Amino acid sequence: MPGSPSEPQERAEPDEWAGLDGPYDLAVIGAGPAGLAGAVTACGLGLSVAVLDAAPQTGGQYFRHPAPGLGAARPQALHHDWAEFTALRRRFEASEAVHLAHHHVWTVTRQGDDGTWTVHALTGPDAGSGAPARVRARAVLLATGAYERQLPFPGWTLPGVVGAGGAQAMLKAGLVLPGRRIVVAGSGPLLLAVASSLAVAGARVPAVVEASGYLGYARRPRALATSPHKLLEAAVHGSALLRHRTPLRTRSAVTAVHGTDRVEAVTVSRLDRAWRPVPGTGRRIACDALAVGHGLVPQTELATGLGCATRRTPDGTQALALDALQETSVPGLWAAGETGGTGGWQLARTEGELAGIAVAARLRGLPALTRSRRARDLARRRDRMRAFADAMAAAHAPGAGWTAWLPDDTDVCRCEEVTAGGIREAAGELGARDARTVKLLTRAGMGWCQGRMCGAAVACLAAESSLESRTESRTENRTDSRTENGAEGGTADGPGNGAAQGTVPPSAERRPLAVPVPLGDLAGLPEESERARTAG
Protein backbone atom coordinates (compact mmCIF):
# COMPACT_ATOMS: atom_id res chain seq x y z
CA MET A 1 0.00 0.00 0.00
CA PRO A 2 1.24 3.58 -0.60
CA GLY A 3 3.16 4.95 2.34
CA SER A 4 4.44 1.59 3.59
CA PRO A 5 8.18 1.40 4.37
CA SER A 6 8.79 -1.14 1.62
CA GLU A 7 7.76 0.92 -1.41
CA PRO A 8 7.68 4.56 -2.55
CA GLN A 9 4.59 6.61 -1.91
CA GLU A 10 2.42 7.60 -4.86
CA ARG A 11 2.74 11.29 -5.67
CA ALA A 12 -0.43 13.31 -5.38
CA GLU A 13 -1.71 15.73 -7.99
CA PRO A 14 -0.44 19.33 -7.69
CA ASP A 15 -2.59 21.51 -5.46
CA GLU A 16 -3.78 24.98 -6.40
CA TRP A 17 -1.47 26.80 -3.97
CA ALA A 18 1.78 24.91 -4.40
CA GLY A 19 2.08 24.24 -8.08
CA LEU A 20 3.97 21.07 -7.06
CA ASP A 21 3.08 18.81 -4.19
CA GLY A 22 4.37 15.43 -3.06
CA PRO A 23 4.61 13.48 -1.07
CA TYR A 24 7.88 12.22 -2.49
CA ASP A 25 10.02 9.83 -0.50
CA LEU A 26 12.96 12.25 -0.59
CA ALA A 27 13.35 15.94 -1.31
CA VAL A 28 16.93 16.94 -2.15
CA ILE A 29 17.79 20.63 -1.80
CA GLY A 30 20.71 21.42 -4.06
CA ALA A 31 21.72 19.98 -7.45
CA GLY A 32 25.47 19.98 -7.00
CA PRO A 33 27.57 16.80 -6.78
CA ALA A 34 26.23 15.89 -3.31
CA GLY A 35 22.60 16.37 -4.28
CA LEU A 36 22.90 14.57 -7.61
CA ALA A 37 24.69 11.60 -6.03
CA GLY A 38 22.12 11.37 -3.27
CA ALA A 39 19.24 11.55 -5.73
CA VAL A 40 20.67 8.95 -8.12
CA THR A 41 21.42 6.55 -5.27
CA ALA A 42 18.01 6.93 -3.65
CA CYS A 43 16.24 6.47 -6.99
CA GLY A 44 18.27 3.35 -7.66
CA LEU A 45 17.04 1.93 -4.36
CA GLY A 46 13.41 2.50 -5.25
CA LEU A 47 12.60 5.89 -3.76
CA SER A 48 10.74 8.73 -5.45
CA VAL A 49 12.92 11.84 -5.43
CA ALA A 50 12.54 15.54 -6.18
CA VAL A 51 15.62 17.75 -6.49
CA LEU A 52 15.13 21.49 -5.95
CA ASP A 53 17.80 23.97 -7.00
CA ALA A 54 17.90 27.73 -7.59
CA ALA A 55 20.07 27.41 -10.71
CA PRO A 56 18.78 26.56 -14.19
CA GLN A 57 21.30 23.72 -14.62
CA THR A 58 22.69 20.95 -12.47
CA GLY A 59 26.28 21.03 -11.22
CA GLY A 60 26.21 23.45 -8.31
CA GLN A 61 28.90 26.07 -7.84
CA TYR A 62 31.80 23.75 -8.57
CA PHE A 63 30.50 22.54 -11.94
CA ARG A 64 28.86 25.79 -12.94
CA HIS A 65 29.01 25.86 -16.73
CA PRO A 66 28.02 28.19 -19.57
CA ALA A 67 24.40 28.53 -20.60
CA PRO A 68 23.66 26.75 -23.90
CA GLY A 69 22.98 30.07 -25.60
CA LEU A 70 26.62 31.14 -25.18
CA GLY A 71 27.76 28.42 -27.55
CA ALA A 72 30.76 27.26 -25.52
CA ALA A 73 32.54 24.67 -27.64
CA ARG A 74 34.71 23.18 -24.88
CA PRO A 75 33.19 23.70 -21.39
CA GLN A 76 35.45 20.94 -20.10
CA ALA A 77 38.41 23.28 -20.52
CA LEU A 78 37.16 25.26 -17.51
CA HIS A 79 36.93 22.25 -15.17
CA HIS A 80 38.90 19.44 -13.62
CA ASP A 81 37.18 16.04 -13.46
CA TRP A 82 34.63 17.10 -16.08
CA ALA A 83 34.26 13.55 -17.39
CA GLU A 84 33.36 12.26 -13.92
CA PHE A 85 30.77 14.98 -13.45
CA THR A 86 29.15 14.41 -16.84
CA ALA A 87 28.90 10.70 -16.03
CA LEU A 88 27.09 11.58 -12.79
CA ARG A 89 24.84 14.00 -14.64
CA ARG A 90 23.92 11.38 -17.25
CA ARG A 91 22.99 8.95 -14.48
CA PHE A 92 20.80 11.63 -12.91
CA GLU A 93 19.09 12.44 -16.20
CA ALA A 94 18.46 8.75 -16.83
CA SER A 95 16.93 8.29 -13.37
CA GLU A 96 13.32 8.97 -12.43
CA ALA A 97 14.28 11.86 -10.15
CA VAL A 98 12.33 15.07 -10.79
CA HIS A 99 14.55 18.12 -11.31
CA LEU A 100 12.93 21.35 -10.16
CA ALA A 101 15.18 24.11 -11.48
CA HIS A 102 14.76 27.77 -10.51
CA HIS A 103 13.36 26.77 -7.10
CA HIS A 104 14.68 29.06 -4.35
CA VAL A 105 14.03 27.25 -1.06
CA TRP A 106 13.30 29.66 1.77
CA THR A 107 12.20 27.35 4.58
CA VAL A 108 11.45 23.75 5.49
CA THR A 109 8.68 22.78 7.91
CA ARG A 110 7.46 19.52 9.38
CA GLN A 111 3.92 18.40 10.00
CA GLY A 112 3.26 17.20 13.51
CA ASP A 113 0.76 14.47 12.65
CA ASP A 114 2.70 12.30 10.22
CA GLY A 115 6.20 13.81 10.26
CA THR A 116 6.09 14.74 6.58
CA TRP A 117 8.42 17.55 5.55
CA THR A 118 7.23 20.51 3.47
CA VAL A 119 9.82 22.38 1.42
CA HIS A 120 8.73 25.93 0.58
CA ALA A 121 10.26 27.65 -2.44
CA LEU A 122 9.87 30.56 -4.81
CA THR A 123 10.11 29.71 -8.48
CA GLY A 124 11.65 31.68 -11.32
CA PRO A 125 15.08 33.08 -12.18
CA ASP A 126 14.76 35.68 -9.39
CA ALA A 127 13.47 34.65 -5.96
CA GLY A 128 12.19 38.16 -5.28
CA SER A 129 9.59 37.94 -8.04
CA GLY A 130 8.94 34.21 -8.12
CA ALA A 131 5.70 32.31 -7.58
CA PRO A 132 5.36 30.18 -4.43
CA ALA A 133 5.72 26.41 -4.63
CA ARG A 134 5.63 23.57 -2.15
CA VAL A 135 7.07 20.06 -2.20
CA ARG A 136 6.23 17.47 0.43
CA ALA A 137 8.49 14.52 1.27
CA ARG A 138 9.07 11.89 3.91
CA ALA A 139 12.76 12.78 4.22
CA VAL A 140 14.99 15.70 3.24
CA LEU A 141 18.63 15.77 2.11
CA LEU A 142 20.35 19.15 2.43
CA ALA A 143 23.06 19.68 -0.16
CA THR A 144 23.10 23.47 -0.10
CA GLY A 145 26.86 23.98 -0.44
CA ALA A 146 28.78 26.95 0.88
CA TYR A 147 29.56 30.60 0.24
CA GLU A 148 32.80 32.56 0.41
CA ARG A 149 34.17 34.03 3.60
CA GLN A 150 35.26 37.64 3.17
CA LEU A 151 37.57 39.54 5.53
CA PRO A 152 37.29 43.27 4.76
CA PHE A 153 40.12 45.75 4.17
CA PRO A 154 40.31 49.40 3.11
CA GLY A 155 38.96 49.78 -0.41
CA TRP A 156 37.23 46.42 -0.68
CA THR A 157 33.99 48.10 -1.80
CA LEU A 158 35.55 49.51 -4.98
CA PRO A 159 34.26 48.20 -8.33
CA GLY A 160 36.65 45.53 -9.55
CA VAL A 161 36.91 43.73 -6.20
CA VAL A 162 35.14 40.38 -6.52
CA GLY A 163 35.11 37.13 -4.60
CA ALA A 164 37.63 34.54 -5.72
CA GLY A 165 34.82 32.07 -6.31
CA GLY A 166 32.83 34.85 -7.94
CA ALA A 167 35.60 35.42 -10.47
CA GLN A 168 35.61 31.72 -11.26
CA ALA A 169 31.82 31.72 -11.60
CA MET A 170 31.97 34.66 -14.04
CA LEU A 171 34.41 32.71 -16.17
CA LYS A 172 32.63 29.34 -16.01
CA ALA A 173 29.07 30.58 -16.43
CA GLY A 174 29.48 33.78 -18.45
CA LEU A 175 32.83 33.25 -20.23
CA VAL A 176 33.93 36.70 -19.00
CA LEU A 177 36.80 37.99 -16.88
CA PRO A 178 36.48 40.57 -14.06
CA GLY A 179 39.49 42.40 -15.51
CA ARG A 180 42.59 41.98 -17.61
CA ARG A 181 45.20 42.25 -14.83
CA ILE A 182 43.85 40.41 -11.79
CA VAL A 183 45.49 39.88 -8.40
CA VAL A 184 44.20 36.76 -6.63
CA ALA A 185 44.37 36.94 -2.84
CA GLY A 186 43.07 35.51 0.41
CA SER A 187 43.63 32.04 1.81
CA GLY A 188 42.80 28.47 0.89
CA PRO A 189 43.31 26.03 -2.00
CA LEU A 190 40.62 27.74 -4.08
CA LEU A 191 43.10 30.53 -4.85
CA LEU A 192 45.36 28.28 -6.93
CA ALA A 193 42.42 26.96 -8.93
CA VAL A 194 41.06 30.46 -9.56
CA ALA A 195 44.43 31.90 -10.52
CA SER A 196 45.27 29.11 -12.95
CA SER A 197 41.80 29.31 -14.56
CA LEU A 198 42.08 33.07 -15.04
CA ALA A 199 45.59 32.77 -16.46
CA VAL A 200 44.62 30.02 -18.89
CA ALA A 201 41.64 32.14 -20.00
CA GLY A 202 43.95 35.00 -20.97
CA ALA A 203 44.10 37.22 -17.89
CA ARG A 204 47.40 38.52 -16.54
CA VAL A 205 47.76 37.45 -12.89
CA PRO A 206 50.62 39.49 -11.39
CA ALA A 207 50.48 37.64 -8.06
CA VAL A 208 48.70 35.02 -5.99
CA VAL A 209 48.71 36.29 -2.41
CA GLU A 210 48.19 33.57 0.23
CA ALA A 211 47.83 34.70 3.84
CA SER A 212 48.80 31.30 5.22
CA GLY A 213 51.68 29.03 4.31
CA TYR A 214 51.61 25.44 3.14
CA LEU A 215 53.74 23.94 5.91
CA GLY A 216 50.61 23.27 7.92
CA TYR A 217 49.85 20.33 5.64
CA ALA A 218 53.11 18.68 6.70
CA ARG A 219 51.76 18.30 10.22
CA ARG A 220 49.26 15.73 8.95
CA PRO A 221 51.26 13.51 6.56
CA ARG A 222 48.79 10.64 6.80
CA ALA A 223 45.94 12.80 5.49
CA LEU A 224 48.16 13.86 2.58
CA ALA A 225 49.22 10.31 1.79
CA THR A 226 45.60 9.13 1.54
CA SER A 227 44.59 11.95 -0.83
CA PRO A 228 46.88 11.66 -3.88
CA HIS A 229 44.20 13.16 -6.13
CA LYS A 230 44.38 16.46 -4.21
CA LEU A 231 48.16 16.55 -4.51
CA LEU A 232 47.91 15.92 -8.26
CA GLU A 233 45.33 18.69 -8.58
CA ALA A 234 47.61 21.13 -6.73
CA ALA A 235 50.47 20.17 -9.03
CA VAL A 236 48.32 20.88 -12.11
CA HIS A 237 47.42 24.34 -10.82
CA GLY A 238 51.01 25.04 -9.81
CA SER A 239 52.29 24.05 -13.24
CA ALA A 240 49.81 26.40 -14.91
CA LEU A 241 50.99 29.28 -12.75
CA LEU A 242 54.63 28.50 -13.53
CA ARG A 243 53.90 28.50 -17.26
CA HIS A 244 52.32 31.93 -16.96
CA ARG A 245 55.08 33.21 -14.64
CA THR A 246 52.68 34.01 -11.83
CA PRO A 247 54.46 34.39 -8.48
CA LEU A 248 52.98 32.93 -5.29
CA ARG A 249 53.44 35.11 -2.20
CA THR A 250 52.75 33.26 1.03
CA ARG A 251 52.33 34.78 4.50
CA SER A 252 51.06 37.92 2.78
CA ALA A 253 47.73 39.70 2.30
CA VAL A 254 46.12 42.53 0.40
CA THR A 255 45.74 45.15 3.12
CA ALA A 256 44.42 48.00 0.96
CA VAL A 257 42.92 48.63 -2.47
CA HIS A 258 43.56 51.88 -4.33
CA GLY A 259 41.52 53.62 -7.02
CA THR A 260 38.79 56.16 -7.67
CA ASP A 261 36.08 54.72 -9.92
CA ARG A 262 37.50 51.16 -9.81
CA VAL A 263 40.54 49.19 -8.72
CA GLU A 264 43.84 50.61 -9.90
CA ALA A 265 46.30 48.92 -7.53
CA VAL A 266 46.55 46.95 -4.28
CA THR A 267 48.95 47.04 -1.36
CA VAL A 268 50.35 43.64 -0.39
CA SER A 269 51.91 43.35 3.07
CA ARG A 270 53.82 40.57 4.78
CA LEU A 271 52.05 38.98 7.74
CA ASP A 272 53.36 37.58 10.99
CA ARG A 273 52.14 34.21 12.24
CA ALA A 274 49.01 35.82 13.73
CA TRP A 275 48.21 37.52 10.40
CA ARG A 276 49.18 40.97 11.65
CA PRO A 277 50.74 43.15 8.91
CA VAL A 278 54.47 43.59 9.36
CA PRO A 279 55.24 47.36 9.35
CA GLY A 280 57.22 48.60 6.37
CA THR A 281 56.56 45.58 4.15
CA GLY A 282 53.74 47.02 2.03
CA ARG A 283 54.28 46.75 -1.71
CA ARG A 284 52.00 48.27 -4.35
CA ILE A 285 50.94 46.10 -7.31
CA ALA A 286 49.12 47.60 -10.29
CA CYS A 287 45.96 45.79 -11.37
CA ASP A 288 42.42 46.46 -12.58
CA ALA A 289 40.69 43.72 -10.55
CA LEU A 290 41.12 41.79 -7.32
CA ALA A 291 39.68 38.31 -6.74
CA VAL A 292 39.74 37.66 -3.00
CA GLY A 293 38.37 35.04 -0.61
CA HIS A 294 39.35 33.46 2.70
CA GLY A 295 37.84 30.01 2.44
CA LEU A 296 34.24 28.84 2.41
CA VAL A 297 31.43 28.97 4.96
CA PRO A 298 28.94 26.07 5.04
CA GLN A 299 25.44 27.22 4.09
CA THR A 300 23.42 25.90 7.01
CA GLU A 301 20.56 28.39 7.43
CA LEU A 302 17.83 25.90 6.55
CA ALA A 303 19.24 23.34 8.98
CA THR A 304 19.91 25.65 11.91
CA GLY A 305 16.44 27.10 11.44
CA LEU A 306 15.17 23.61 12.25
CA GLY A 307 17.40 23.32 15.31
CA CYS A 308 20.18 21.13 13.86
CA ALA A 309 23.33 20.93 15.95
CA THR A 310 26.55 22.35 14.51
CA ARG A 311 30.26 21.84 15.07
CA ARG A 312 33.21 24.17 14.86
CA THR A 313 35.52 23.38 11.96
CA PRO A 314 39.33 23.72 12.15
CA ASP A 315 39.18 27.00 10.21
CA GLY A 316 36.65 28.58 12.57
CA THR A 317 33.35 28.19 10.69
CA GLN A 318 30.22 26.36 11.78
CA ALA A 319 29.27 23.15 9.96
CA LEU A 320 26.46 20.71 10.62
CA ALA A 321 27.15 17.94 13.12
CA LEU A 322 26.41 14.66 11.32
CA ASP A 323 26.37 11.03 12.35
CA ALA A 324 28.16 8.19 10.58
CA LEU A 325 25.38 8.01 7.96
CA GLN A 326 25.10 11.76 7.28
CA GLU A 327 21.99 12.33 9.39
CA THR A 328 21.71 15.59 11.32
CA SER A 329 20.64 15.84 14.96
CA VAL A 330 17.06 16.26 13.69
CA PRO A 331 15.67 12.82 12.73
CA GLY A 332 14.64 12.52 9.09
CA LEU A 333 16.95 15.32 7.94
CA TRP A 334 20.23 14.34 6.23
CA ALA A 335 23.03 16.52 4.84
CA ALA A 336 25.95 16.02 2.46
CA GLY A 337 28.72 18.09 0.95
CA GLU A 338 29.90 21.48 2.14
CA THR A 339 27.11 21.81 4.72
CA GLY A 340 29.13 19.39 6.87
CA GLY A 341 32.43 21.18 6.19
CA THR A 342 34.32 22.17 3.05
CA GLY A 343 36.11 19.30 1.38
CA GLY A 344 35.72 19.40 -2.38
CA TRP A 345 33.38 17.86 -4.91
CA GLN A 346 34.54 14.25 -4.59
CA LEU A 347 33.89 14.24 -0.85
CA ALA A 348 30.49 15.83 -1.53
CA ARG A 349 29.62 13.12 -4.05
CA THR A 350 30.67 10.37 -1.65
CA GLU A 351 28.64 11.82 1.19
CA GLY A 352 25.62 12.25 -1.07
CA GLU A 353 25.75 8.61 -2.12
CA LEU A 354 26.09 7.45 1.49
CA ALA A 355 23.17 9.65 2.53
CA GLY A 356 21.04 8.22 -0.28
CA ILE A 357 21.67 4.70 1.03
CA ALA A 358 20.87 5.76 4.60
CA VAL A 359 17.58 7.39 3.58
CA ALA A 360 16.51 4.32 1.60
CA ALA A 361 17.40 2.06 4.51
CA ARG A 362 15.26 4.12 6.86
CA LEU A 363 12.23 4.59 4.64
CA ARG A 364 12.16 1.04 3.29
CA GLY A 365 12.85 -0.56 6.66
CA LEU A 366 16.04 -2.24 5.44
CA PRO A 367 18.82 -1.41 7.93
CA ALA A 368 21.03 -4.02 6.27
CA LEU A 369 21.62 -1.53 3.43
CA THR A 370 23.77 0.58 5.73
CA ARG A 371 25.93 -2.44 6.57
CA SER A 372 26.50 -3.43 2.95
CA ARG A 373 29.96 -3.49 1.43
CA ARG A 374 29.06 -0.49 -0.69
CA ALA A 375 28.10 1.56 2.36
CA ARG A 376 31.22 0.53 4.27
CA ASP A 377 33.47 1.46 1.34
CA LEU A 378 31.77 4.85 1.02
CA ALA A 379 32.18 5.52 4.75
CA ARG A 380 35.89 4.68 4.65
CA ARG A 381 36.41 6.87 1.60
CA ARG A 382 34.44 9.68 3.27
CA ASP A 383 36.56 9.45 6.42
CA ARG A 384 39.82 9.63 4.45
CA MET A 385 38.72 12.67 2.48
CA ARG A 386 37.25 14.35 5.55
CA ALA A 387 40.63 13.95 7.31
CA PHE A 388 42.31 15.75 4.43
CA ALA A 389 39.62 18.44 4.50
CA ASP A 390 40.30 19.04 8.19
CA ALA A 391 44.04 19.29 7.51
CA MET A 392 43.33 21.78 4.72
CA ALA A 393 41.04 23.86 6.95
CA ALA A 394 43.58 23.95 9.77
CA ALA A 395 46.39 25.00 7.40
CA HIS A 396 44.40 27.98 6.09
CA ALA A 397 42.57 29.06 9.25
CA PRO A 398 42.56 32.88 9.58
CA GLY A 399 44.87 34.24 12.26
CA ALA A 400 43.42 36.44 14.97
CA GLY A 401 45.59 39.43 14.05
CA TRP A 402 44.00 40.16 10.67
CA THR A 403 41.81 42.88 12.22
CA ALA A 404 44.99 44.97 12.61
CA TRP A 405 44.70 45.93 8.92
CA LEU A 406 41.25 47.51 9.57
CA PRO A 407 41.24 51.26 10.31
CA ASP A 408 38.10 52.46 12.08
CA ASP A 409 36.70 54.11 8.95
CA THR A 410 36.68 50.86 6.91
CA ASP A 411 33.21 49.66 5.94
CA VAL A 412 32.65 46.17 7.32
CA CYS A 413 28.93 45.75 6.63
CA ARG A 414 28.57 46.98 3.06
CA CYS A 415 24.78 46.73 2.98
CA GLU A 416 24.22 48.96 6.02
CA GLU A 417 27.51 50.93 5.77
CA VAL A 418 28.64 50.02 9.29
CA THR A 419 32.31 50.71 9.90
CA ALA A 420 34.90 48.83 11.92
CA GLY A 421 34.92 51.73 14.36
CA GLY A 422 31.17 51.45 14.87
CA ILE A 423 31.46 47.74 15.64
CA ARG A 424 34.37 48.32 18.01
CA GLU A 425 32.39 50.99 19.80
CA ALA A 426 29.37 48.70 20.18
CA ALA A 427 31.47 45.88 21.57
CA GLY A 428 33.80 48.02 23.67
CA GLU A 429 31.99 51.08 24.99
CA LEU A 430 28.40 49.83 24.71
CA GLY A 431 29.12 46.41 26.15
CA ALA A 432 28.01 44.08 23.32
CA ARG A 433 29.38 40.61 24.00
CA ASP A 434 28.52 38.84 20.75
CA ALA A 435 27.80 39.43 17.07
CA ARG A 436 24.04 39.31 17.56
CA THR A 437 24.09 42.16 20.09
CA VAL A 438 26.39 44.15 17.82
CA LYS A 439 23.85 43.66 15.03
CA LEU A 440 21.06 45.02 17.20
CA LEU A 441 23.13 48.09 18.12
CA THR A 442 24.62 48.88 14.69
CA ARG A 443 22.46 47.04 12.05
CA ALA A 444 25.59 45.16 10.90
CA GLY A 445 24.36 42.05 9.10
CA MET A 446 20.78 43.28 8.64
CA GLY A 447 21.13 44.09 4.95
CA TRP A 448 20.34 42.15 1.79
CA CYS A 449 23.08 39.53 2.28
CA GLN A 450 21.96 38.86 5.88
CA GLY A 451 25.52 38.77 7.18
CA ARG A 452 26.98 36.40 4.60
CA MET A 453 29.56 38.98 3.55
CA CYS A 454 30.29 40.58 6.92
CA GLY A 455 29.30 37.95 9.49
CA ALA A 456 32.77 36.55 10.13
CA ALA A 457 34.34 40.01 10.39
CA VAL A 458 31.65 41.32 12.74
CA ALA A 459 32.07 38.32 15.03
CA CYS A 460 35.86 38.70 15.15
CA LEU A 461 35.73 42.44 15.81
CA ALA A 462 33.05 41.97 18.45
CA ALA A 463 35.05 39.31 20.28
CA GLU A 464 38.27 41.30 20.06
CA SER A 465 36.77 44.59 21.26
CA SER A 466 34.77 42.88 23.99
CA LEU A 467 37.91 41.16 25.26
CA GLU A 468 39.88 44.41 25.27
CA SER A 469 37.08 46.15 27.16
CA ARG A 470 36.91 43.42 29.79
CA THR A 471 40.69 43.31 30.09
CA GLU A 472 40.87 47.08 30.63
CA SER A 473 38.09 46.85 33.18
CA ARG A 474 39.90 44.11 35.10
CA THR A 475 43.12 46.10 34.97
CA GLU A 476 41.43 49.20 36.37
CA ASN A 477 39.74 47.17 39.10
CA ARG A 478 43.01 45.52 40.09
CA THR A 479 44.83 48.84 40.04
CA ASP A 480 42.20 50.46 42.24
CA SER A 481 42.23 47.51 44.61
CA ARG A 482 46.00 47.37 44.90
CA THR A 483 46.28 51.11 45.27
CA GLU A 484 43.87 50.98 48.16
CA ASN A 485 46.05 48.26 49.72
CA GLY A 486 49.26 50.21 49.12
CA ALA A 487 50.45 48.30 46.04
CA GLU A 488 51.83 49.98 42.91
CA GLY A 489 49.29 48.37 40.57
CA GLY A 490 49.23 45.21 38.49
CA THR A 491 49.12 44.05 34.88
CA ALA A 492 46.25 42.66 32.91
CA ASP A 493 46.04 39.04 31.85
CA GLY A 494 47.34 38.51 28.34
CA PRO A 495 44.97 37.32 25.64
CA GLY A 496 44.61 33.62 25.14
CA ASN A 497 43.92 31.64 22.01
CA GLY A 498 40.80 30.86 20.02
CA ALA A 499 37.75 32.90 20.96
CA ALA A 500 39.76 35.25 23.14
CA GLN A 501 41.70 36.41 20.09
CA GLY A 502 38.60 37.10 18.05
CA THR A 503 38.59 34.02 15.85
CA VAL A 504 35.11 32.84 16.87
CA PRO A 505 32.74 32.54 13.90
CA PRO A 506 29.24 33.96 13.72
CA SER A 507 26.86 32.11 16.00
CA ALA A 508 24.51 29.67 14.32
CA GLU A 509 21.27 31.63 14.56
CA ARG A 510 17.87 30.11 13.90
CA ARG A 511 16.45 32.02 10.96
CA PRO A 512 12.94 31.26 9.75
CA LEU A 513 13.72 32.50 6.22
CA ALA A 514 16.76 31.43 4.21
CA VAL A 515 16.11 33.84 1.30
CA PRO A 516 14.05 37.05 1.01
CA VAL A 517 10.33 36.26 0.68
CA PRO A 518 7.52 38.67 -0.32
CA LEU A 519 5.03 39.26 2.48
CA GLY A 520 2.21 38.22 0.18
CA ASP A 521 3.69 34.74 -0.12
CA LEU A 522 3.99 34.44 3.64
CA ALA A 523 0.37 35.49 4.03
CA GLY A 524 -0.66 32.85 1.51
CA LEU A 525 0.82 29.93 3.45
CA PRO A 526 -1.67 27.15 4.14
CA GLU A 527 -2.83 27.15 7.74
CA GLU A 528 -1.20 23.86 8.64
CA SER A 529 2.18 24.96 7.22
CA GLU A 530 1.96 28.23 9.11
CA ARG A 531 1.34 26.37 12.35
CA ALA A 532 4.36 24.16 11.69
CA ARG A 533 6.55 27.12 10.76
CA THR A 534 5.60 28.97 13.93
CA ALA A 535 6.15 25.92 16.10
CA GLY A 536 9.56 25.32 14.52
Side-chain angles (χ1 to χ4, degrees), residues 155-516:
W156 76 308
T157 57
L158 272 175
V161 178
V162 299
Q168 196 172 48
M170 292 172 66
L171 178 59
K172 289 181 177 180
L175 304 180
V176 295
L177 296 169
R180 299 305 303 174
R181 186 178 175 88
I182 311 166
V183 170
V184 178
S187 186
L190 178 62
L191 300 186
L192 297 180
V194 170
S196 62
S197 297
L198 296 176
V200 169
R204 172 78 174 96
V205 182
V208 177
V209 184
E210 166 63 63
S212 298
Y214 291 94
L215 294 179
Y217 288 91
R219 300 189 184 98
R220 302 192 183 186
R222 185 175 180 181
L224 291 178
T226 57
S227 301
H229 181 84
K230 291 293 184 182
L231 298 178
L232 177 61
E233 192 173 308
V236 170
H237 295 317
S239 298
L241 295 179
L242 285 175
R243 288 196 307 271
H244 291 88
R245 299 181 180 179
T246 299
L248 172 63
R249 304 185 186 280
T250 60
R251 295 289 178 189
S252 303
V254 170
T255 52
V257 176
H258 312 284
T260 51
D261 296 329
R262 67 168 292 122
V263 175
E264 297 174 5
V266 298
T267 292
V268 175
S269 302
R270 290 283 297 169
L271 302 180
D272 64 18
R273 297 189 67 83
W275 284 32
R276 289 183 295 260
V278 178
T281 61
R283 177 188 173 190
R284 196 177 177 110
I285 299 178
C287 60
D288 61 2
L290 169 66
V292 60
H294 293 84
L296 300 175
V297 179
Q299 192 161 324
T300 62
E301 291 90 347
L302 289 171
T304 54
L306 292 166
C308 293
T310 61
R311 66 179 181 90
R312 183 186 175 94
T313 64
D315 62 346
T317 64
Q318 292 284 346
L320 294 181
L322 306 173
D323 69 9
L325 295 173
Q326 302 299 128
E327 192 170 14
T328 71
S329 61
V330 175
L333 188 67
W334 281 262
E338 315 289 52
T339 53
T342 302
W345 89 271
Q346 292 186 330
L347 173 58
R349 178 182 60 180
T350 300
E351 290 184 341
E353 188 173 347
L354 184 59
I357 292 174
V359 173
R362 176 77 55 81
L363 297 188
R364 298 184 63 194
L366 298 174
L369 285 176
T370 61
R371 298 190 295 271
S372 65
R373 180 176 180 179
R374 178 185 180 190
R376 293 198 305 270
D377 288 345
L378 287 169
R380 283 193 292 267
R381 193 185 315 161
R382 185 265 321 270
D383 292 343
R384 288 196 302 268
M385 288 189 283
R386 182 58 67 190
F388 179 84
D390 287 345
M392 178 178 66
H396 296 283
W402 73 267
T403 55
W405 70 55
L406 279 183
D408 281 347
D409 61 353
T410 304
D411 280 334
V412 173
C413 175
R414 300 161 61 136
C415 301
E416 298 293 327
E417 298 182 336
V418 181
T419 64
I423 296 169
R424 286 169 175 147
E425 179 183 12
E429 298 180 18
L430 301 182
R433 294 291 182 258
D434 54 40
R436 182 175 179 83
T437 307
V438 169
K439 176 166 60 172
L440 296 175
L441 292 172
T442 66
R443 293 191 58 81
M446 288 189 179
W448 185 259
C449 80
Q450 287 293 285
R452 289 180 177 86
M453 291 289 290
C454 67
V458 171
C460 289
L461 286 168
E464 175 188 67
S465 300
S466 177
L467 172 67
E468 291 175 354
S469 177
R470 293 196 301 271
T471 302
E472 290 174 2
S473 177
R474 287 198 300 267
T475 302
E476 292 173 0
N477 291 338
R478 291 178 183 179
T479 301
D480 292 343
S481 175
R482 296 185 184 187
T483 301
E484 291 174 2
N485 294 327
E488 293 182 356
T491 58
D493 293 336
N497 295 321
Q501 292 191 4
T503 59
V504 292
S507 60
E509 300 176 5
R510 297 187 64 173
R511 301 186 181 207
L513 311 177
V515 298

